[in-house]
Amino acid sequence: MELTCTENFSNAARASRDKVIFNDVRVINNLLNDEMFSIPKCDYFQTIQNDLQPFMRKVVTTWMLEVCEEQMCEDQVLPLAINIMDRFLCICPIKKQQLQLLGATCLLIATKVRSTNMLPIDLLSAYTDYSVTYEHISSWELLVLSKLQWNILAVTGFDYIDQVLERCSWGHESQFLRRHANTLVSMCYTEPSLIQTPPSVIAAACISSAIRGLKLSSSEVALRDTCNMLNVNPRTVEFLVGVIDNAVSKVAPSLTPTTPESKTTVQGYESPHYGQPETPTEVENIYF
């Protein structure tokens, strides 16, 4: 019997709007109540990790971002993988030579939890130029899970994006808004200075920054609505928007939109142009 799956998920349609999820205020309340349990408990660079520096985390998380882009992983994979990594580093000290191994392991775990397609261990090993072996990743998977007591699920900034956009009239003002907001969420999770920032604040700032970047007329209304919905301080959001804009300016040669024909476009999103992920990694261009 032929058991080969021949379905093509590359152009899979998104599920229709679920009224139960997006009309019930308890969903957002539960996210806000649960997010505190998944925020890293400390600045591990100061307390736990004697051999690691913030720039090392930046290098590895950017490599993780490039791997997810190259493999077209779902948006929710990277924030969860980095959250798992941060929570593990709050508990277990490691050597700097093991940081990329940890990043690859967390990507494996995150794709098992929040992706339709798991990243194979052999592929993750290849992305490290085989400096990390199959045996390393498989053994560290058990180590990470045991240290976190198998509590790997977490509320991330990604979880709030659709909740906010689907509940507000301005949420559909641009077809690129969701895509840009999710891209900024991923970028925020690579920033060492935002390790202990609540996911709700990250989401609010990314939505606000995306709206301003797209030059939509509802920027002021969107900021007010988002802050009220997620119960965050507008001043905190404004400060974080500045951090996001500064991070974007470091990796984007130009914020001027270009024509879709001049770059790769996937489902209406102008995809970042990364090269093949390498070790150490180098960010090339991100276009918005």
Side-chain angles (χ1 to χ4, degrees), residues 73-147:
C73 295
E74 287 90 335
D75 293 317
Q76 60 265 38
V77 169
L78 182 72
L80 178 61
I82 296 178
N83 177 269
I84 293 172
M85 183 177 73
D86 287 335
R87 287 189 287 144
F88 176 84
L89 291 174
C90 288
I91 300 172
C92 185
I94 66 172
K95 299 179 181 179
K96 60 185 177 182
Q97 294 86 352
Q98 298 171 318
L99 188 56
Q100 189 177 34
L101 167 58
L102 176 60
T105 303
C106 293
L107 280 177
L108 172 67
I109 296 172
T111 56
K112 286 185 175 182
V113 175
R114 303 201 70 173
S115 176
T116 55
N117 297 296
M118 181 193 77
L119 290 178
I121 297 180
D122 288 333
L123 179 64
L124 291 169
S125 178
Y127 273 122
T128 68
D129 292 336
Y130 298 100
S131 62
V132 173
T133 66
Y134 185 103
E135 290 73 20
H136 285 147
I137 297 177
S138 59
S139 62
W140 269 60
E141 180 184 12
L142 184 58
L143 172 64
V144 172
L145 292 173
S146 62
K147 288 294 184 180

Side-chain angles (χ1 to χ4, degrees), residues 180 183-184 187 248 252 254-258 263 270 286-288:
H180 282 203
T183 299
L184 293 175
M187 183 177 295
V248 170
S254 174
L255 296 181
T256 303
T258 57
K263 64 193 74 174
E270 297 162 354
I286 295 182
Y287 297 91
F288 293 94

Side-chain angles (χ1 to χ4, degrees), residues 184 188 191 193-195 197-209 212 233-247:
L184 293 175
C188 284
E191 291 296 318
S193 61
L194 303 180
I195 290 176
T197 303
S200 54
V201 178
I202 290 178
C206 290
I207 291 174
S208 180
S209 180
R212 296 177 188 183
N233 191 322
R235 293 184 179 179
T236 303
V237 173
E238 290 286 1
F239 174 79
L240 187 52
V241 168
V243 174
I244 294 173
D245 292 343
N246 182 57

Side-chain angles (χ1 to χ4, degrees), residues 19-260:
K19 296 181 179 180
V20 176
I21 294 176
F22 295 117
N23 288 354
D24 195 334
V25 69
R26 291 177 299 176
V27 176
I28 289 185
N29 289 338
N30 288 338
L31 288 173
L32 293 173
N33 291 332
D34 291 344
E35 73 173 14
M36 66 181 67
F37 299 109
S38 54
I39 298 175
K41 302 301 182 183
C42 64
D43 181 0
Y44 49 78
F45 295 113
Q46 303 294 329
T47 57
I48 307 296
Q49 305 299 333
N50 296 324
D51 201 30
L52 300 183
Q53 297 294 328
F55 79 89
M56 300 176 187
R57 179 190 182 275
K58 178 66 175 181
V59 168
V60 171
T61 53
T62 304
W63 171 80
M64 294 166 68
L65 171 61
E66 292 182 352
V67 171
C68 289
E69 282 290 336
E70 183 79 15
Q71 292 300 313
M72 299 181 67
C73 295
E74 287 90 335
D75 293 317
Q76 60 265 38
V77 169
L78 182 72
L80 178 61
I82 296 178
N83 177 269
I84 293 172
M85 183 177 73
D86 287 335
R87 287 189 287 144
F88 176 84
L89 291 174
C90 288
I91 300 172
C92 185
I94 66 172
K95 299 179 181 179
K96 60 185 177 182
Q97 294 86 352
Q98 298 171 318
L99 188 56
Q100 189 177 34
L101 167 58
L102 176 60
T105 303
C106 293
L107 280 177
L108 172 67
I109 296 172
T111 56
K112 286 185 175 182
V113 175
R114 303 201 70 173
S115 176
T116 55
N117 297 296
M118 181 193 77
L119 290 178
I121 297 180
D122 288 333
L123 179 64
L124 291 169
S125 178
Y127 273 122
T128 68
D129 292 336
Y130 298 100
S131 62
V132 173
T133 66
Y134 185 103
E135 290 73 20
H136 285 147
I137 297 177
S138 59
S139 62
W140 269 60
E141 180 184 12
L142 184 58
L143 172 64
V144 172
L145 292 173
S146 62
K147 288 294 184 180
L148 296 181
Q149 299 181 347
W150 295 78
N151 183 23
I152 55 177
L153 292 177
V155 176
T156 67
F158 167 86
D159 296 311
Y160 290 102
I161 300 299
D162 279 346
Q163 287 294 328
V164 173
L165 298 185
E166 291 291 340
R167 294 168 188 263
C168 299
S169 58
W170 46 262
H172 301 281
E173 190 173 347
S174 170
Q175 61 177 326
F176 300 114
L177 179 54
R178 178 183 182 273
R179 178 68 264 176
H180 282 203
N182 282 331
T183 299
L184 293 175
V185 167
S186 296
M187 183 177 295
C188 284
Y189 275 84
T190 68
E191 291 296 318
S193 61
L194 303 180
I195 290 176
Q196 293 186 277
T197 303
S200 54
V201 178
I202 290 178
C206 290
I207 291 174
S208 180
S209 180
I211 289 176
R212 296 177 188 183
L214 292 169
K215 295 180 173 58
L216 303 182
S217 59
S218 57
S219 59
E220 295 299 326
V221 176
L223 177 62
R224 183 185 67 246
D225 291 346
T226 304
C227 290
N228 289 338
M229 192 178 302
L230 301 184
N231 194 27
V232 296
N233 191 322
R235 293 184 179 179
T236 303
V237 173
E238 290 286 1
F239 174 79
L240 187 52
V241 168
V243 174
I244 294 173
D245 292 343
N246 182 57
V248 170
S249 66
K250 291 180 180 179
V251 296
S254 174
L255 296 181
T256 303
T258 57
T259 60

